[in-house]
PDB file of all heavy atoms in Angstrom:
ATOM      1  N   PHE A 871      58.444  63.152  84.121  1.00  0.00           N
ATOM      2  CA  PHE A 871      59.682  63.796  83.873  1.00  0.00           C
ATOM      3  C   PHE A 871      60.294  63.252  82.598  1.00  0.00           C
ATOM      4  O   PHE A 871      60.160  62.073  82.311  1.00  0.00           O
ATOM      5  CB  PHE A 871      60.623  63.533  85.038  1.00  0.00           C
ATOM      6  CG  PHE A 871      61.975  64.213  84.925  1.00  0.00           C
ATOM      7  CD1 PHE A 871      62.087  65.641  85.014  1.00  0.00           C
ATOM      8  CD2 PHE A 871      63.174  63.453  84.789  1.00  0.00           C
ATOM      9  CE1 PHE A 871      63.306  66.255  84.926  1.00  0.00           C
ATOM     10  CE2 PHE A 871      64.430  64.090  84.677  1.00  0.00           C
ATOM     11  CZ  PHE A 871      64.446  65.457  84.771  1.00  0.00           C
ATOM     12  N   GLU A 872      60.927  64.174  81.845  1.00  0.00           N
ATOM     13  CA  GLU A 872      61.624  63.723  80.661  1.00  0.00           C
ATOM     14  C   GLU A 872      63.082  64.327  80.603  1.00  0.00           C
ATOM     15  O   GLU A 872      63.219  65.502  80.953  1.00  0.00           O
ATOM     16  CB  GLU A 872      60.884  64.242  79.382  1.00  0.00           C
ATOM     17  CG  GLU A 872      61.435  63.569  78.068  1.00  0.00           C
ATOM     18  CD  GLU A 872      60.659  64.078  76.870  1.00  0.00           C
ATOM     19  OE1 GLU A 872      59.437  63.620  76.757  1.00  0.00           O
ATOM     20  OE2 GLU A 872      61.175  64.822  76.051  1.00  0.00           O
ATOM     21  N   THR A 873      63.998  63.545  80.230  1.00  0.00           N
ATOM     22  CA  THR A 873      65.385  64.009  80.097  1.00  0.00           C
ATOM     23  C   THR A 873      66.197  63.333  79.019  1.00  0.00           C
ATOM     24  O   THR A 873      65.612  62.330  78.446  1.00  0.00           O
ATOM     25  CB  THR A 873      66.155  63.955  81.449  1.00  0.00           C
ATOM     26  OG1 THR A 873      67.392  64.557  81.389  1.00  0.00           O
ATOM     27  CG2 THR A 873      66.341  62.450  81.846  1.00  0.00           C
ATOM     28  N   CYS A 874      67.312  63.868  78.645  1.00  0.00           N
ATOM     29  CA  CYS A 874      68.073  63.297  77.540  1.00  0.00           C
ATOM     30  C   CYS A 874      69.555  63.376  77.915  1.00  0.00           C
ATOM     31  O   CYS A 874      70.047  64.491  78.310  1.00  0.00           O
ATOM     32  CB  CYS A 874      67.782  63.980  76.234  1.00  0.00           C
ATOM     33  SG  CYS A 874      68.700  63.381  74.883  1.00  0.00           S
ATOM     34  N   TRP A 875      70.329  62.294  77.802  1.00  0.00           N
ATOM     35  CA  TRP A 875      71.779  62.334  78.031  1.00  0.00           C
ATOM     36  C   TRP A 875      72.571  61.637  76.980  1.00  0.00           C
ATOM     37  O   TRP A 875      72.082  60.619  76.426  1.00  0.00           O
ATOM     38  CB  TRP A 875      72.042  61.583  79.386  1.00  0.00           C
ATOM     39  CG  TRP A 875      71.673  62.448  80.583  1.00  0.00           C
ATOM     40  CD1 TRP A 875      70.434  62.595  81.085  1.00  0.00           C
ATOM     41  CD2 TRP A 875      72.555  63.283  81.334  1.00  0.00           C
ATOM     42  NE1 TRP A 875      70.510  63.439  82.211  1.00  0.00           N
ATOM     43  CE2 TRP A 875      71.807  63.886  82.365  1.00  0.00           C
ATOM     44  CE3 TRP A 875      73.914  63.579  81.224  1.00  0.00           C
ATOM     45  CZ2 TRP A 875      72.351  64.817  83.237  1.00  0.00           C
ATOM     46  CZ3 TRP A 875      74.442  64.498  82.190  1.00  0.00           C
ATOM     47  CH2 TRP A 875      73.671  65.090  83.122  1.00  0.00           C
ATOM     48  N   THR A 876      73.725  62.160  76.721  1.00  0.00           N
ATOM     49  CA  THR A 876      74.706  61.576  75.830  1.00  0.00           C
ATOM     50  C   THR A 876      75.831  61.075  76.650  1.00  0.00           C
ATOM     51  O   THR A 876      76.420  61.895  77.380  1.00  0.00           O
ATOM     52  CB  THR A 876      75.138  62.539  74.723  1.00  0.00           C
ATOM     53  OG1 THR A 876      74.108  62.816  73.882  1.00  0.00           O
ATOM     54  CG2 THR A 876      76.295  62.008  73.882  1.00  0.00           C
ATOM     55  N   SER A 877      76.198  59.764  76.566  1.00  0.00           N
ATOM     56  CA  SER A 877      77.310  59.286  77.396  1.00  0.00           C
ATOM     57  C   SER A 877      78.218  58.411  76.537  1.00  0.00           C
ATOM     58  O   SER A 877      77.770  57.664  75.683  1.00  0.00           O
ATOM     59  CB  SER A 877      76.660  58.518  78.599  1.00  0.00           C
ATOM     60  OG  SER A 877      77.697  58.267  79.522  1.00  0.00           O
ATOM     61  N   THR A 910      73.112  58.183  72.968  1.00  0.00           N
ATOM     62  CA  THR A 910      72.223  59.258  73.356  1.00  0.00           C
ATOM     63  C   THR A 910      70.881  58.587  73.708  1.00  0.00           C
ATOM     64  O   THR A 910      70.366  57.808  72.910  1.00  0.00           O
ATOM     65  CB  THR A 910      72.078  60.311  72.174  1.00  0.00           C
ATOM     66  OG1 THR A 910      73.296  60.885  71.944  1.00  0.00           O
ATOM     67  CG2 THR A 910      71.045  61.386  72.606  1.00  0.00           C
ATOM     68  N   SER A 911      70.412  58.928  74.918  1.00  0.00           N
ATOM     69  CA  SER A 911      69.123  58.299  75.366  1.00  0.00           C
ATOM     70  C   SER A 911      68.183  59.406  75.862  1.00  0.00           C
ATOM     71  O   SER A 911      68.561  60.143  76.730  1.00  0.00           O
ATOM     72  CB  SER A 911      69.341  57.322  76.444  1.00  0.00           C
ATOM     73  OG  SER A 911      70.056  56.179  75.987  1.00  0.00           O
ATOM     74  N   LEU A 984      72.527  58.232  84.297  1.00  0.00           N
ATOM     75  CA  LEU A 984      72.540  59.700  84.386  1.00  0.00           C
ATOM     76  C   LEU A 984      71.118  60.246  84.298  1.00  0.00           C
ATOM     77  O   LEU A 984      70.772  61.143  85.062  1.00  0.00           O
ATOM     78  CB  LEU A 984      73.403  60.288  83.274  1.00  0.00           C
ATOM     79  CG  LEU A 984      74.950  60.131  83.589  1.00  0.00           C
ATOM     80  CD1 LEU A 984      75.714  60.048  82.276  1.00  0.00           C
ATOM     81  CD2 LEU A 984      75.439  61.283  84.434  1.00  0.00           C
ATOM     82  N   ALA A 985      70.310  59.679  83.411  1.00  0.00           N
ATOM     83  CA  ALA A 985      68.907  60.127  83.286  1.00  0.00           C
ATOM     84  C   ALA A 985      68.100  59.802  84.588  1.00  0.00           C
ATOM     85  O   ALA A 985      67.387  60.640  85.051  1.00  0.00           O
ATOM     86  CB  ALA A 985      68.290  59.392  82.096  1.00  0.00           C
ATOM     87  N   THR A 987      69.425  59.531  87.579  1.00  0.00           N
ATOM     88  CA  THR A 987      69.899  60.421  88.663  1.00  0.00           C
ATOM     89  C   THR A 987      69.271  61.802  88.472  1.00  0.00           C
ATOM     90  O   THR A 987      68.884  62.467  89.462  1.00  0.00           O
ATOM     91  CB  THR A 987      71.462  60.524  88.603  1.00  0.00           C
ATOM     92  OG1 THR A 987      72.004  59.234  88.551  1.00  0.00           O
ATOM     93  CG2 THR A 987      72.045  61.267  89.767  1.00  0.00           C
ATOM     94  N   ASP A 988      69.232  62.242  87.231  1.00  0.00           N
ATOM     95  CA  ASP A 988      68.521  63.504  86.930  1.00  0.00           C
ATOM     96  C   ASP A 988      67.073  63.518  87.432  1.00  0.00           C
ATOM     97  O   ASP A 988      66.604  64.486  88.047  1.00  0.00           O
ATOM     98  CB  ASP A 988      68.485  63.646  85.376  1.00  0.00           C
ATOM     99  CG  ASP A 988      68.472  65.111  84.919  1.00  0.00           C
ATOM    100  OD1 ASP A 988      68.515  65.953  85.781  1.00  0.00           O
ATOM    101  OD2 ASP A 988      68.453  65.303  83.714  1.00  0.00           O
ATOM    102  N   TYR A 989      66.436  62.378  87.283  1.00  0.00           N
ATOM    103  CA  TYR A 989      65.075  62.226  87.741  1.00  0.00           C
ATOM    104  C   TYR A 989      65.055  62.296  89.288  1.00  0.00           C
ATOM    105  O   TYR A 989      64.179  62.937  89.861  1.00  0.00           O
ATOM    106  CB  TYR A 989      64.511  60.855  87.218  1.00  0.00           C
ATOM    107  CG  TYR A 989      63.074  60.587  87.524  1.00  0.00           C
ATOM    108  CD1 TYR A 989      62.125  61.608  87.443  1.00  0.00           C
ATOM    109  CD2 TYR A 989      62.687  59.225  87.918  1.00  0.00           C
ATOM    110  CE1 TYR A 989      60.776  61.291  87.658  1.00  0.00           C
ATOM    111  CE2 TYR A 989      61.318  59.029  88.225  1.00  0.00           C
ATOM    112  CZ  TYR A 989      60.391  59.974  88.070  1.00  0.00           C
ATOM    113  OH  TYR A 989      59.049  59.705  88.284  1.00  0.00           O
ATOM    114  N   PHE A 992      65.463  65.782  90.257  1.00  0.00           N
ATOM    115  CA  PHE A 992      64.254  66.588  89.975  1.00  0.00           C
ATOM    116  C   PHE A 992      63.218  66.386  91.062  1.00  0.00           C
ATOM    117  O   PHE A 992      62.530  67.339  91.471  1.00  0.00           O
ATOM    118  CB  PHE A 992      63.674  66.078  88.617  1.00  0.00           C
ATOM    119  CG  PHE A 992      62.244  66.461  88.345  1.00  0.00           C
ATOM    120  CD1 PHE A 992      61.876  67.769  88.006  1.00  0.00           C
ATOM    121  CD2 PHE A 992      61.229  65.488  88.405  1.00  0.00           C
ATOM    122  CE1 PHE A 992      60.567  68.098  87.772  1.00  0.00           C
ATOM    123  CE2 PHE A 992      59.918  65.810  88.159  1.00  0.00           C
ATOM    124  CZ  PHE A 992      59.558  67.125  87.859  1.00  0.00           C
ATOM    125  N   PHE A1002      76.129  64.721  92.293  1.00  0.00           N
ATOM    126  CA  PHE A1002      75.368  64.183  91.166  1.00  0.00           C
ATOM    127  C   PHE A1002      76.078  63.063  90.443  1.00  0.00           C
ATOM    128  O   PHE A1002      75.554  61.961  90.175  1.00  0.00           O
ATOM    129  CB  PHE A1002      75.004  65.319  90.210  1.00  0.00           C
ATOM    130  CG  PHE A1002      74.156  64.893  89.045  1.00  0.00           C
ATOM    131  CD1 PHE A1002      72.755  64.930  89.104  1.00  0.00           C
ATOM    132  CD2 PHE A1002      74.697  64.385  87.832  1.00  0.00           C
ATOM    133  CE1 PHE A1002      71.997  64.461  88.053  1.00  0.00           C
ATOM    134  CE2 PHE A1002      73.971  63.979  86.785  1.00  0.00           C
ATOM    135  CZ  PHE A1002      72.564  64.052  86.880  1.00  0.00           C
ATOM    136  N   HIS A1003      77.297  63.356  90.005  1.00  0.00           N
ATOM    137  CA  HIS A1003      78.006  62.386  89.217  1.00  0.00           C
ATOM    138  C   HIS A1003      78.374  61.102  89.942  1.00  0.00           C
ATOM    139  O   HIS A1003      78.375  60.021  89.455  1.00  0.00           O
ATOM    140  CB  HIS A1003      79.251  62.966  88.510  1.00  0.00           C
ATOM    141  CG  HIS A1003      78.879  63.844  87.358  1.00  0.00           C
ATOM    142  ND1 HIS A1003      78.418  65.122  87.465  1.00  0.00           N
ATOM    143  CD2 HIS A1003      78.874  63.531  86.010  1.00  0.00           C
ATOM    144  CE1 HIS A1003      78.146  65.602  86.305  1.00  0.00           C
ATOM    145  NE2 HIS A1003      78.382  64.644  85.407  1.00  0.00           N
ATOM    146  N   GLY A1200      83.555  63.430  78.638  1.00  0.00           N
ATOM    147  CA  GLY A1200      82.535  62.855  79.485  1.00  0.00           C
ATOM    148  C   GLY A1200      81.163  63.102  79.058  1.00  0.00           C
ATOM    149  O   GLY A1200      80.933  63.762  77.978  1.00  0.00           O
ATOM    150  N   PRO A1201      80.132  62.617  79.774  1.00  0.00           N
ATOM    151  CA  PRO A1201      78.699  62.761  79.349  1.00  0.00           C
ATOM    152  C   PRO A1201      78.250  64.243  79.304  1.00  0.00           C
ATOM    153  O   PRO A1201      78.828  65.094  79.937  1.00  0.00           O
ATOM    154  CB  PRO A1201      77.896  62.016  80.452  1.00  0.00           C
ATOM    155  CG  PRO A1201      78.914  61.300  81.209  1.00  0.00           C
ATOM    156  CD  PRO A1201      80.250  61.954  81.060  1.00  0.00           C
ATOM    157  N   GLN A1202      77.118  64.383  78.612  1.00  0.00           N
ATOM    158  CA  GLN A1202      76.500  65.693  78.497  1.00  0.00           C
ATOM    159  C   GLN A1202      75.034  65.578  78.518  1.00  0.00           C
ATOM    160  O   GLN A1202      74.462  64.644  77.853  1.00  0.00           O
ATOM    161  CB  GLN A1202      76.868  66.377  77.193  1.00  0.00           C
ATOM    162  CG  GLN A1202      78.145  67.132  77.272  1.00  0.00           C
ATOM    163  CD  GLN A1202      78.413  68.024  76.007  1.00  0.00           C
ATOM    164  OE1 GLN A1202      77.874  67.714  74.998  1.00  0.00           O
ATOM    165  NE2 GLN A1202      79.052  69.093  76.211  1.00  0.00           N
ATOM    166  N   LYS A1203      74.296  66.491  79.142  1.00  0.00           N
ATOM    167  CA  LYS A1203      72.845  66.500  79.065  1.00  0.00           C
ATOM    168  C   LYS A1203      72.526  67.124  77.682  1.00  0.00           C
ATOM    169  O   LYS A1203      73.075  68.164  77.263  1.00  0.00           O
ATOM    170  CB  LYS A1203      72.349  67.386  80.219  1.00  0.00           C
ATOM    171  CG  LYS A1203      70.916  67.248  80.409  1.00  0.00           C
ATOM    172  CD  LYS A1203      70.436  67.836  81.729  1.00  0.00           C
ATOM    173  CE  LYS A1203      68.909  68.000  81.659  1.00  0.00           C
ATOM    174  NZ  LYS A1203      68.348  67.915  82.989  1.00  0.00           N
ATOM    175  N   CYS A1204      71.558  66.499  76.959  1.00  0.00           N
ATOM    176  CA  CYS A1204      71.304  67.091  75.641  1.00  0.00           C
ATOM    177  C   CYS A1204      70.036  67.932  75.645  1.00  0.00           C
ATOM    178  O   CYS A1204      69.331  68.044  76.641  1.00  0.00           O
ATOM    179  CB  CYS A1204      71.157  65.983  74.541  1.00  0.00           C
ATOM    180  SG  CYS A1204      70.629  64.406  75.145  1.00  0.00           S
TER     181      CYS A1204
END
Side-chain angles (χ1 to χ4, degrees):
F871 182 66
E872 188 179 292
T873 186
C874 177
W875 283 83
T876 291
S877 192
T910 297
S911 293
L984 284 152
T987 311
D988 206 2
Y989 186 39
F992 161 74
F1002 181 91
H1003 282 82
Q1202 271 192 334
K1203 193 168 165 150
C1204 26

